[in-house]
């Protein structure tokens, strides 16, 4: 994969629409059950043009999912190959806002490619699962705050006046 002048845009796409996780599952190898780990990453969009652009700009492939009812079709872009993924994540890393911790863990995981270290892989999978956990965040941080505050505290503290008025 070549250096890309679109790293900031790609980082924004990945922050908003991308997903990275370390899947762990059991696999039968030589009549033994073995714990296996796999890195999965993708960007999902409802815009086929964007999925095609990703393939042209970065490589990889995309798959179309036809959804029922009034749902738009989804296009899932994926990048395969250890080196391709490593270059992609290193390229977007300086521009990430939301998924910086996940990508740091991803790069650590990629460093383990030819090593036998199931404990380290398991540890990274658990950390990634924690970072990707769904649900509401209980607290939020503010600039120059001495401590994190709950959103309900912030609403009362930082109420603003109406800035736009309707001309009569």
């Amino acid at each position: 994969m070549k250096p890309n002048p679109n790293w900031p845009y790609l980082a924004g796409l990945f922050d908003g629409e991308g997903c990275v996780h370390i899947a762990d599952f059991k696999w039968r190898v030589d009549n033994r059950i073995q714990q296996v780990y796999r890195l999965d990453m993708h960007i999902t969009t409802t815009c086929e043009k964007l999925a095609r652009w990703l393939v042209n700009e970065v490589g990889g492939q995309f798959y179309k999912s036809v959804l029922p009812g009034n749902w738009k079709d989804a296009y899932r872009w994926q990048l395969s190959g250890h080196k391709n993924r490593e270059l992609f994540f290193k390229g977007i890393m300086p521009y990430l806002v939301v998924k910086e911790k996940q990508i740091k863990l991803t790069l650590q995981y990629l460093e383990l490619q030819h090593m036998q270290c199931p404990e380290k892989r398991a540890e990274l999978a658990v950390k990634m699962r924690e970072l990707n956990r769904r649900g509401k965040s209980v607290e939020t941080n503010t600039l120059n705050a001495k401590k994190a505050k709950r959103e309900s505290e912030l609403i009362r503290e930082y109420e603003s006046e109406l800035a736009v008025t309707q001309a009569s």
Side-chain angles (χ1 to χ4, degrees):
M1 189 167 68
K2 60 184 187 258
N4 196 310
N6 292 309
W7 289 130
Y9 180 68
L10 291 164
L13 275 175
F14 201 83
D15 260 346
E17 306 296 337
C19 175
V20 62
H21 69 276
I22 301 170
D24 58 324
F25 51 93
K26 307 264 190 245
W27 193 262
R28 184 177 295 277
V29 178
D30 298 329
N31 288 330
R32 292 182 300 129
I33 301 295
Q34 186 174 338
Q35 188 73 29
V36 178
Y37 299 90
R38 180 187 70 225
L39 180 73
D40 290 331
M41 62 86 66
H42 63 267
I43 293 175
T44 303
T45 178
T46 57
C47 178
E48 182 178 1
K49 183 178 179 181
L50 178 59
R52 290 188 185 284
W53 181 85
L54 284 164
V55 171
N56 290 331
E57 279 298 308
V58 184
Q61 61 277 338
F62 73 89
Y63 303 93
K64 179 179 179 178
S65 295
V66 179
L67 300 174
N70 288 332
W71 291 92
K72 291 182 180 179
D73 294 340
Y75 301 89
R76 184 179 187 150
W77 170 81
Q78 293 177 219
L79 186 61
S80 58
H82 176 87
K83 200 67 179 165
N84 290 334
R85 289 176 174 188
E86 183 178 25
L87 289 170
F88 176 78
F89 288 128
K90 284 182 177 179
I92 66 172
M93 183 65 159
Y95 307 102
L96 291 170
V97 175
V98 178
K99 293 186 171 98
E100 182 181 7
K101 290 179 182 178
Q102 285 91 329
I103 301 313
K104 284 181 181 177
L105 281 179
T106 298
L107 291 170
Q108 288 177 31
Y109 181 84
L110 289 171
E111 289 174 5
L112 306 174
Q113 183 184 19
H114 296 295
M115 299 178 176
Q116 292 293 328
C117 47
E119 298 84 13
K120 183 66 176 171
R121 291 174 196 275
E123 176 189 332
L124 291 173
V126 168
K127 286 180 180 179
M128 185 72 79
R129 210 170 297 119
E130 282 294 314
L131 289 172
N132 289 339
R133 176 168 280 141
R134 291 181 183 174
K136 290 183 180 180
S137 175
V138 177
E139 296 182 342
T140 183
N141 291 322
T142 59
L143 295 175
N144 304 323
K146 292 184 170 86
K147 69 177 190 104
K149 294 185 176 185
R150 292 186 183 278
E151 187 175 2
S152 58
E153 295 172 330
L154 291 173
I155 291 171
R156 284 188 300 278
E157 191 173 320
Y158 295 104
E159 287 185 14
S160 61
E161 297 294 319
L162 182 63
V164 179
T165 57
Q166 185 175 2
S168 41

